[in-house]
Structure formats: structure tokens, C-alpha cells
């Protein structure tokens, strides 16, 4: 699924002719990933990753490259984009942008240990310390997570599906957005927004790098935090939720508490962030709802059920469970 555009050896030889990175030895598609096309390239002098952006504008890719260069300057472990002979990081092939990166040795851990989880949480907190207030003239070209953007995307999804169910779900969705309390004073910066195990590299049991900044955008810093906490029981999921009734207790805050405690050691949350973590969790669920807008009947579906459980619990009880 990862390779949507095929590249021949001749294609890569032509591309490499614009760089001082040696001659092509071989190229292999990278199967992990679902959106962009990636190849591992071995040259006579280097090991590289070729990333072909299937659905991103050049400006959006440049936002990512500038962010990575900024993080590199701060010694943060992340991919290193490479310049071509003209001093540009981005090349164009068939009217779509591509970038070459140094290959990072490491492995993806599908079931990380407690130590590895703590390392990731620490690196996420450090990432936020670096990107808090990070400014880019290209921010507008990213899919930034905010209420206005979510409403627009939900409207587009409803119109595309064009059913009575989608229109009713849109009404529910907009109502839920309006219930969120997200003060403008909440700290914002760049969030990575995708901590799937395939985007984290470990080597010899140590954190090596955070990769794939394709979803990175300017939003509330605690958005990444709510992506890592999971207050719902593991048995309650998208394919099991119908087995539960609204009266069932579906919460298990033990892991969420550990994540928040570990994160706070490196980036302490202010009182406003603690109070409105409840709203950010609901916000994250509503973003998930956009990607699966066609799934489920408006009367009862997975994301709605999660929102209902949280509303029944309430912000005050949620905050007490997390912070005591």
C-alpha cells in the first residue's frame, strides 16, 4: 500500500544526478506507511530514504523541511533532509514534490517496553518545549487542527457522502464542537500528531528518532498528549463498542495517569491545560470522526459513544481522576 507511484532505476539515477550522494546501487520500496511513497536507496557512498509526496503541496512540504532543519539545529533526533546541487531540499517529479533524507538506523517496536514508552513520552515533551511558539510563514499550508478547520472538513465529508445520515451526523458534529472549551490562552505550537509505532525508531533499547512529520501542524500542544493517553479500557474499541451499554464503566485511567506524570516531568502543564485536557481529548475524538465520517449510524456510533461517556463523566471528575 505504501508505494503508489513506481520508480525505475533510471528514474532514481536521474534524480541522484542532481546530488553529490554517489551512484545508485539499488532501491527498495518501503512497505510501512499508507499515504506517501517511500523508497530505501543505497548508493556507493550513502544510504538514503526517498520520500515522494503524493498529496502535499510544495509549500506544505517546505513547512516540514524547515521544521526538521530547526529541530536538527536544536539537536533533536529526527530525519535529516538533504540539499541538491542547487541548494534546494525539494525536487519535483511529475509535478509532485520529493525529498531525500539520510537513512536512520533503528527498528520499529510494535510492542514497546515500559522503558521505551517513557523515552517516547520524554521526547514528545522535549519536542513541545522546542516547538512552543514556533513560527512559520508556511503554517497556512498545513492541515492545522483547530475548531474552524474541523467544521470545514466535516462539512466536506458530509457533502461528499451526501446521505441523510451524513447530514444528521454533521449537525451532531457541529453541536459537539460548540461544546468544547478551548481558551485562546492554551499554549500552542507544532504537534507531531501521529505516534504510531512505525514513526518511532529505537536502537539497542534506546530511543533513536521520531520520524514521519507528514501530519505535523500548528495546534494546541496538549493535542499530542491526549494522543498518547488512553482513558478507555482496552476492551472498548471501534470493533467492540456495541457490546457495551451506556451504563457500563469503560474507563481505566491507570495508563493515562502514568503518561501525564511522565510528560509533566519534562514539560509541566499549567492549570488551564490540566482543566481543559478533557476538552482536548474530546477534540481528538472529533478529529478521528472526520476520518471515519461514513462509519456508523448517527444515532449511535463509536466516536459518539466515546463522547457520551466523557460527557457523562464530566470535566471535573475526569480532571480529578488524572490529577487527584
Amino acid at each position: 500500500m505504501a508505494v503508489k507511484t513506481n520508480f525505475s532505476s533510471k528514474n532514481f539515477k536521474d534524480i541522484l544526478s542532481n546530488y553529490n550522494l554517489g551512484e545508485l546501487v539499488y532501491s527498495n520500496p518501503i512497505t510501512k506507511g499508507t499515504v506517501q511513497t517511500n523508497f530505501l536507496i543505497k548508493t556507493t557512498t550513502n544510504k538514503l530514504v526517498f520520500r515522494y509526496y503524493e498529496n502535499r503541496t510544495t509549500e506544505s512540504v517546505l513547512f516540514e523541511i524547515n521544521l526538521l532543519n530547526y529541530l536538527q539545529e536544536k539537536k533533536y533526533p529526527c530525519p535529516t533532509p538533504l540539499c541538491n546541487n542547487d541548494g534546494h531540499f525539494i525536487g519535483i517529479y511529475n509535478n509532485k514534490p520529493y525529498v531525500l533524507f539520510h537513512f536512520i538506523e533503528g527498528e520499529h517496536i510494535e510492542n514497546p517496553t515500559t522503558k521505551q514508552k517513557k523515552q517516547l513520552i520524554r521526547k514528545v515533551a522535549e519536542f513541545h518545549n522546542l516547538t512552543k511558539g514556533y513560527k512559520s510563514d508556511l503554517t497556512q499550508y498545513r492541515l492545522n487542527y483547530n475548531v474552524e478547520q474541523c467544521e470545514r472538513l466535516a462539512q466536506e465529508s458530509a457533502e461528499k457522502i451526501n446521505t441523510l445520515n451524513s447530514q444528521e451526523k454533521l449537525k451532531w458534529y457541529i453541536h459537539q464542537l460548540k461544546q468544547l472549551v478551548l481558551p485562546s490562552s492554551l499554549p500552542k505550537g507544532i504537534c507531531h500528531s501521529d505516534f504510531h509505532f512505525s514513526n518511532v525508531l529505537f536502537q539497542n533499547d534506546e530511543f533513536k528518532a521520531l520520524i514521519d512529520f507528514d501530519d505535523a501542524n500548528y495546534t494546541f500542544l496538549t493535542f499530542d498528549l491526549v494522543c498518547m493517553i488512553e482513558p478507555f479500557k482496552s476492551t472498548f474499541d471501534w470493533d467492540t463498542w456495541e457490546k457495551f451499554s451506556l451504563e457500563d464503566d469503560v474507563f481505566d485511567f491507570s495508563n493515562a495517569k502514568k503518561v501525564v506524570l511522565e510528560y509533566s516531568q519534562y514539560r509541566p502543564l499549567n492549570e488551564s491545560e490540566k482543566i481543559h485536557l478533557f476538552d482536548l481529548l474530546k477534540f481528538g475524538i472529533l478529529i478521528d470522526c472526520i476520518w471515519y465520517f461514513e462509519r456508523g449510524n448517527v444515532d449511535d456510533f463509536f466516536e459518539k459513544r466515546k463522547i457520551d461517556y466523557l460527557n457523562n463523566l464530566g470535566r471535573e471528575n475526569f480532571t480529578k481522576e488524572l490529577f487527584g
Side-chain angles (χ1 to χ4, degrees):
M1 180 61 184
V3 175
K4 298 180 179 179
T5 301
N6 290 314
F7 288 83
S8 66
S9 294
K10 182 181 184 307
N11 293 147
F12 282 130
K13 287 177 181 178
D14 289 342
I15 288 169
L16 287 170
S17 68
N18 298 313
Y19 297 79
N20 293 318
L21 297 169
E23 301 297 321
L24 178 69
V25 176
Y26 65 78
S27 64
N28 291 323
I30 297 175
T31 57
K32 288 184 173 63
T34 58
V35 180
Q36 315 304 348
T37 291
N38 301 282
F39 278 82
L40 172 64
I41 293 178
K42 178 72 170 66
T43 74
T44 51
T45 59
N46 287 274
K47 204 171 182 180
L48 312 164
V49 172
F50 171 82
R51 188 166 178 82
Y52 187 62
Y53 293 85
E54 300 282 359
N55 59 357
R56 296 287 184 263
T57 65
T58 301
E59 292 85 359
S60 176
V61 176
L62 187 56
F63 170 94
E64 181 178 336
I65 299 309
N66 289 346
L67 172 63
L68 290 173
N69 285 333
Y70 167 79
L71 293 172
Q72 285 285 335
E73 291 175 2
K74 302 296 183 181
K75 309 301 182 184
Y76 188 84
C78 65
T80 304
L82 299 168
C83 274
N84 61 24
N85 294 333
D86 295 324
H88 299 139
F89 289 99
I90 300 174
I92 302 295
Y93 175 82
N94 280 353
N95 299 315
K96 292 182 180 180
Y98 67 82
V99 178
L100 283 171
F101 299 91
H102 272 305
F103 177 80
I104 303 174
E105 296 289 347
E107 60 180 331
H108 305 287
I109 307 296
E110 190 166 356
N111 296 301
T113 64
T114 298
K115 175 185 175 181
Q116 290 167 335
K117 289 178 181 178
K118 286 185 175 182
Q119 289 180 66
L120 174 59
I121 296 167
R122 174 177 180 172
K123 289 302 178 183
V124 172
E126 291 175 354
F127 174 73
H128 292 160
N129 285 330
L130 292 174
T131 65
K132 180 181 179 180
Y134 174 86
K135 301 296 183 182
S136 170
D137 295 336
L138 301 167
T139 300
Q140 60 182 308
Y141 296 102
R142 299 296 279 194
L143 188 62
N144 302 299
Y145 293 159
N146 55 58
V147 171
E148 296 76 20
Q149 185 83 274
C150 287
E151 183 172 342
R152 180 182 65 79
L153 291 172
Q155 288 174 339
E156 290 177 358
S157 295
E159 290 172 5
K160 183 179 180 180
I161 299 168
N162 194 28
T163 63
L164 179 60
N165 186 66
S166 68
Q167 294 302 320
E168 290 301 312
K169 186 179 282 191
L170 177 62
K171 293 178 184 177
W172 170 87
Y173 190 91
I174 292 175
H175 176 73
Q176 294 303 320
L177 281 178
K178 291 181 178 178
Q179 304 308 304
L180 299 178
V181 182
L182 300 170
S184 58
S185 58
L186 286 173
K188 288 186 176 182
I190 307 301
C191 283
H192 181 275
S193 304
D194 188 8
F195 295 115
H196 189 267
F197 73 90
S198 63
N199 294 331
V200 184
L201 289 173
F202 287 89
Q203 189 175 43
N204 299 324
D205 202 35
E206 298 295 326
F207 183 96
K208 188 65 182 292
L210 181 62
I211 64 174
D212 195 348
F213 287 71
D214 196 38
D215 291 327
N217 70 93
Y218 183 78
T219 186
F220 304 98
L221 286 181
T222 42
F223 178 81
D224 270 347
L225 179 57
V226 299
C227 288
M228 291 189 294
I229 68 173
E230 183 48 72
F232 294 97
K233 293 179 179 178
S234 59
T235 52
F236 176 78
D237 211 339
W238 68 271
D239 55 350
T240 60
W241 68 271
E242 290 179 291
K243 299 177 182 178
F244 293 80
S245 73
L246 285 171
E247 290 72 37
D248 289 334
D249 179 12
V250 297
F251 293 105
D252 179 1
F253 282 89
S254 57
N255 180 68
K257 290 178 183 178
K258 293 176 183 176
V259 172
V260 171
L261 182 62
E262 187 70 21
Y263 179 93
S264 299
Q265 291 186 58
Y266 307 101
R267 194 185 83 84
L269 301 176
N270 64 35
E271 287 305 309
S272 182
E273 287 181 299
K274 292 179 182 179
I275 293 170
H276 297 290
L277 204 62
F278 173 80
D279 299 276
L280 259 298
L281 181 58
K282 293 207 295 181
F283 182 55
I285 295 168
L286 290 172
I287 289 176
D288 284 341
C289 187
I290 291 173
W291 314 138
Y292 302 101
F293 208 82
E294 195 169 5
R295 184 174 68 185
N297 186 282
V298 65
D299 294 329
D300 199 15
F301 56 97
F302 180 48
E303 290 80 18
K304 180 179 185 297
R305 186 68 73 86
K306 293 177 83 172
I307 294 288
D308 288 343
Y309 278 128
L310 285 168
N311 285 338
N312 288 338
L313 181 65
R315 180 188 291 106
E316 185 176 350
N317 287 330
F318 177 86
T319 306
K320 283 183 179 179
E321 286 286 351
L322 273 187
F323 300 102

